[in-house]
Amino acid sequence: MDIVVNEELKAYIDPLTPEEYESLERSILAEGCRDALVLWGDVLVDGHNRYGICRKHDLPFQTVQNTRFQSMEDVHLWMIDQHLGRRSISDFQRGVLALRKREIVAARRAGNAASGGHAPQAPADGPADASTGNTPPPEPLDSREALARAARLSNSQVVMIEKIHKQATPEVVAAVKSGTISINAAAAVASLPAEEQVAAATAGKDELKQAAKRVREARRKPRDESAASPAASSEEGANASEETIESLRRRVAALTSENTALRKQVANLLDQLMARPGETAQETADTSAPF
């Protein structure tokens, strides 16, 4: 039979590195193609690299039909699960595949809800011999914890990969895929405007690291200032309280001094009033004496 290579399926999973491809080729040349190629009808689903190597060297290979596929979505989900089960892919690739799976599952659930809960039928152009069974419904990935379990990553890694997936330019994504920078650094660089991301990626590994460092320092600075602000406010408040207390003390001292002076004035006036009756009687006696 003629095997059809669907370029979209071939590119759905990140290709092998040159070193990985050479290693696979040496293995097949030494031991033959041990694993069967997986087909959906006449469409090649799994084994693109093995198929290419076998054709290049005119080597025999086996094929097997997966009869559970009913749609291209089933094919994509199967490919994702196959690669998530392998140890050879990177953490970033795991995260991206889990995000793809979430999108497919969410779209399928929305479609089922719109159609009254009925599963979609196999497309009219799908292979007739590839729909003999129903694909089990995949686990819903509607939480970060579920994504982390599916990808075998930590929650924090999933958060960073989501950010890269949404915000990073292709140049930054290529850098993290190749291992030029870490997931953590790529997530930091993804916070920058697109033109700055491209410039850093174009400049190379060192500039990408410096860009990530600048982003982290810029994030720390507001927190440091925020942490220092309550202490400064507390100090200012303490200074203001001390000034208020000192002002009140001076005011009390002034009022006390003024009160003492007033008391003295009152005492003097009383003394003067007490002395005037005698002086008045004497004046009266003098004016009434005969000449």
Side-chain angles (χ1 to χ4, degrees):
M1 67 178 296
D2 293 330
I3 293 178
V4 176
V5 175
N6 183 309
E7 292 300 326
E8 185 268 340
L9 283 180
K10 183 178 179 180
Y12 194 71
I13 303 297
D14 288 338
L16 299 178
T17 65
E19 293 77 12
E20 291 170 337
Y21 187 90
E22 289 174 5
S23 176
L24 177 62
E25 186 173 27
R26 287 194 300 269
S27 174
I28 291 176
L29 288 173
E31 304 175 15
C33 187
R34 294 177 299 176
D35 298 325
L37 311 182
V38 179
L39 303 178
W40 178 34
D42 58 358
V43 177
L44 180 59
V45 172
D46 184 63
H48 290 88
N49 292 303
R50 283 172 280 141
Y51 177 63
I53 292 170
C54 287
R55 288 195 62 187
K56 176 182 176 181
H57 298 284
D58 196 22
L59 298 174
F61 55 86
Q62 301 295 319
T63 64
V64 61
Q65 286 284 339
N66 189 315
T67 59
R68 296 192 304 169
F69 298 147
Q70 296 186 51
S71 67
M72 188 60 76
E73 284 183 347
D74 289 341
V75 175
H76 287 162
L77 287 172
W78 183 87
M79 293 176 72
I80 288 171
D81 287 340
Q82 289 296 305
H83 282 78
L84 285 176
R86 295 172 180 170
R87 296 182 178 181
S88 58
I89 64 173
S90 68
D91 289 344
F92 180 73
Q93 287 175 311
R94 289 183 184 283
V96 170
L97 289 174
L99 291 173
R100 286 182 186 173
K101 184 174 182 178
R102 180 179 67 178
E103 293 171 359
I104 295 172
V105 173
R108 174 169 288 185
R109 293 175 69 190
N112 289 344
S115 62
H118 300 291
Q121 298 298 313
D125 57 348
D129 62 344
S131 59
T132 58
N134 291 325
T135 302
E139 175 192 2
L141 302 177
D142 49 4
S143 69
R144 188 162 288 138
E145 290 74 16
L147 271 175
R149 284 196 303 272
R152 289 186 290 169
L153 300 172
S154 67
N155 288 357
S156 61
Q157 285 176 307
V158 169
V159 171
M160 290 186 288
I161 292 171
E162 279 186 293
K163 184 173 184 180
I164 297 167
H165 188 61
K166 292 177 181 178
Q167 298 177 221
T169 62
E171 293 80 3
V172 174
V173 172
V176 71
K177 279 184 178 180
S178 66
T180 301
I181 56 171
S182 66
I183 292 173
N184 191 304
V189 175
S191 303
L192 298 171
E195 59 273 13
E196 293 185 30
Q197 294 186 45
V198 173
T202 302
K205 180 178 180 178
D206 291 341
E207 181 56 31
L208 279 168
K209 288 184 176 181
Q210 288 300 316
K213 182 179 179 181
R214 289 193 295 270
V215 171
R216 295 189 190 106
E217 290 175 349
R219 288 174 182 167
R220 282 196 295 267
K221 188 174 181 180
R223 289 200 296 267
D224 293 343
E225 291 176 352
S226 177
S229 180
S233 298
S234 176
E235 184 178 351
E236 291 174 1
N239 292 338
S241 297
E242 291 177 2
E243 292 176 1
T244 301
I245 293 171
E246 184 61 28
S247 176
L248 288 174
R249 286 174 179 169
R250 289 195 298 269
R251 181 63 176 161
V252 168
L255 289 174
T256 300
S257 177
E258 184 178 348
N259 188 35
T260 301
L262 288 172
R263 286 177 179 275
K264 289 181 179 179
Q265 290 180 11
V266 170
N268 291 334
L269 288 173
L270 287 175
D271 290 343
Q272 292 175 9
L273 289 174
M274 292 293 292
R276 283 184 179 179
E279 294 175 358
T280 305
Q282 183 62 40
E283 290 173 356
T284 303
D286 293 338
T287 55
S288 61
F291 293 100

